[in-house]
Amino acid sequence: MLTARLFRPLSQLPGKTLSLCDREKGTRRMQLLYSASPVPVSLRTYSDEVNPVGSKAVLVTGCDSGFGFSLAKHLHSRGFLVFAGCLMKDKGNDGVKELDSLKSDRLRTVQLNVCKSEEVDKVVEIVRSSLEDPEKGMWGLVNNAGISTFGEVEFTSMETYKEVAEVNLWGTVRMTKSFLPLIRRAKGRIVNISSMLGRMANPARSPYCITKFGVEAFSDCLRYEMYPLGVKVSVVEPGNFIAATSLYSPERIQAIANKMWEELPEVVRKDYGRKYFDEKIAKMETYCNSGSTDTSPVIKAVTHALTSATPYTRYHPMDYYWWLRMQIMTHLPGAVSDRIYIH
């Protein structure tokens, strides 16, 4: 009965408002809103802000598309001086062209591969030289750049594990260490984009989960260390926004699957068989066709983390199903959550 209830589609859930907590006039209250439609729930209302934002500089990584692209445009509209780090700027990416087409002196795209120290160092100098007073530092860094893949542990090569970690985890660490001197001078903000899969693991997602769990731990350590220095560190944990971020197309899923199968050791192919392999790929395709196409909950969360006088430690822009699942998997004994969601 419990399993049946927890797996009920969102369309069958009655719309409700749960009073949990929010911040207003020094009190802590929150409205947890969830509706019958499968859209991200609004976990918090955002009101308190740091003013003015016009003189504040923010660097966002991974702005070629997805969250980063939308965030760069939104922060620019809010009055920030935005440096949009783009992996494909040198290749004339469409997202880069659209950002450049705004022709604003407050929005500048920069070539940035977070895996390359020389490109990171170059961007540090670009930002420093663009600030009115470098000694007052830079207000915000949003570590958004990331890649994803899938595959069970025996299906995933060590090269794939290393590739995903180099971007998602070590890229975040590299960017943070490089920009901390500027952030510290401004007593600014660091916002790391993690994932709900940085709090709860999932079959066939170990390369991604490992890196996002790492981002969570890194962010916590950094928050503890930066607190006495006046720097605030927040983590944003989006739910399923694959449909909105174009991480996976059917063609890309199939290309990854074909490459994975071809590179499998013979003993693994023989033991599992193609039928089992294809069933797992079909599940991944189903998951990738789901999720929200509206990125605004993520954008609002990052904006609040950058502008609030009292930003939250963690933000959970996700629909009610994933929010509930995350609470159960992180608060109940593993034997219980495994029984409900995994076995």
Side-chain angles (χ1 to χ4, degrees):
M1 180 62 73
L2 175 61
T3 304
R5 288 184 179 181
L6 293 175
F7 273 102
R8 287 170 63 188
L10 288 175
S11 60
Q12 297 178 16
L13 288 172
K16 293 184 179 179
T17 301
L18 301 180
S19 295
L20 297 179
C21 86
D22 190 353
R23 295 179 180 174
E24 184 178 327
K25 298 180 180 179
T27 63
R28 297 196 59 160
R29 297 175 301 171
M30 180 179 75
Q31 296 290 313
L32 171 60
L33 304 175
Y34 64 91
S35 64
S37 58
V39 297
V41 295
S42 176
L43 295 180
R44 293 161 174 148
T45 56
Y46 306 136
S47 56
D48 50 335
E49 295 186 354
V50 176
N51 289 308
V53 301
S55 61
K56 298 184 185 300
V58 176
L59 171 66
V60 184
T61 66
C63 292
D64 302 80
S65 61
F67 295 144
F69 174 79
S70 299
L71 187 60
K73 293 176 68 175
H74 176 72
L75 294 178
H76 172 259
S77 72
R78 291 290 302 271
F80 282 97
L81 168 60
V82 180
F83 295 91
C86 300
L87 175 65
M88 307 295 286
K89 177 176 171 63
D90 288 350
K91 297 183 179 180
N93 173 269
D94 289 341
V96 177
K97 290 179 179 178
E98 184 171 341
L99 292 176
D100 286 339
S101 70
L102 296 176
K103 299 186 183 304
S104 171
D105 58 0
R106 288 189 298 101
L107 177 58
R108 180 174 179 180
T109 59
V110 292
Q111 172 61 36
L112 179 58
N113 182 339
V114 298
C115 301
K116 295 184 177 181
S117 295
E118 59 272 20
E119 289 195 11
V120 174
D121 293 342
K122 184 176 180 179
V123 172
V124 170
E125 291 309 311
I126 290 174
V127 171
R128 191 194 308 275
S129 63
S130 301
L131 297 173
E132 291 184 9
D133 185 353
E135 287 305 309
K136 291 184 178 180
M138 181 182 81
W139 178 252
L141 169 65
V142 181
N143 284 307
N144 167 72
I147 60 175
S148 183
T149 189
F150 59 89
E152 295 191 359
V153 173
E154 284 199 274
F155 297 164
T156 305
S157 68
M158 284 305 302
E159 288 69 27
T160 297
Y161 278 108
K162 293 176 182 178
E163 178 185 3
V164 178
E166 187 60 39
V167 178
N168 295 1
L169 179 55
W170 305 127
T172 294
V173 174
R174 183 178 292 108
M175 287 295 299
T176 301
K177 286 175 63 65
S178 297
F179 279 91
L180 264 178
L182 288 174
I183 298 292
R184 280 193 288 101
R185 281 166 173 73
K187 296 184 187 298
R189 306 294 167 81
I190 295 176
V191 184
N192 292 330
I193 306 300
S194 180
S195 167
M196 63 180 181
L197 295 183
R199 299 288 300 283
M200 58 179 179
N202 212 47
R205 300 303 302 279
S206 64
Y208 187 72
C209 290
I210 287 171
T211 64
K212 292 305 183 179
F213 269 77
V215 168
E216 296 276 348
F218 173 71
S219 301
D220 283 344
C221 294
L222 183 66
R223 187 178 75 255
Y224 304 150
E225 295 168 4
M226 290 295 106
Y227 177 80
L229 303 178
V231 175
K232 294 181 171 62
V233 180
S234 297
V235 181
V236 178
E237 301 166 346
N240 183 0
F241 287 87
I242 289 179
T245 56
S246 303
L247 277 174
Y248 295 110
S249 64
E251 294 77 18
R252 181 161 186 263
I253 292 174
Q254 202 55 52
I256 293 173
N258 290 338
K259 184 174 184 294
M260 190 184 301
W261 179 258
E262 290 172 2
E263 295 178 352
L264 285 181
E266 184 60 33
V267 64
V268 175
R269 276 193 280 192
K270 182 179 178 181
D271 288 350
Y272 283 94
R274 187 64 194 238
K275 182 175 181 293
Y276 177 91
F277 181 85
D278 288 342
E279 287 174 351
K280 296 301 179 181
I281 299 303
K283 281 188 177 181
M284 190 64 194
E285 288 177 334
T286 300
Y287 173 74
C288 292
N289 290 329
S290 62
S292 176
T293 57
D294 177 17
T295 62
S296 62
V298 178
I299 305 307
K300 289 178 181 177
V302 176
T303 304
H304 183 263
L306 289 170
T307 61
S308 172
T310 53
Y312 296 100
T313 299
R314 283 177 168 82
Y315 296 81
H316 310 124
M318 62 186 70
D319 68 35
Y320 181 74
Y321 168 80
W322 290 111
W323 181 86
L324 178 60
R325 177 167 173 165
M326 186 172 72
Q327 304 311 310
I328 289 173
M329 295 191 75
T330 55
H331 289 79
L332 292 185
V336 176
S337 58
D338 286 2
R339 179 65 176 172
I340 295 171
Y341 292 112
I342 307 300
H343 301 315

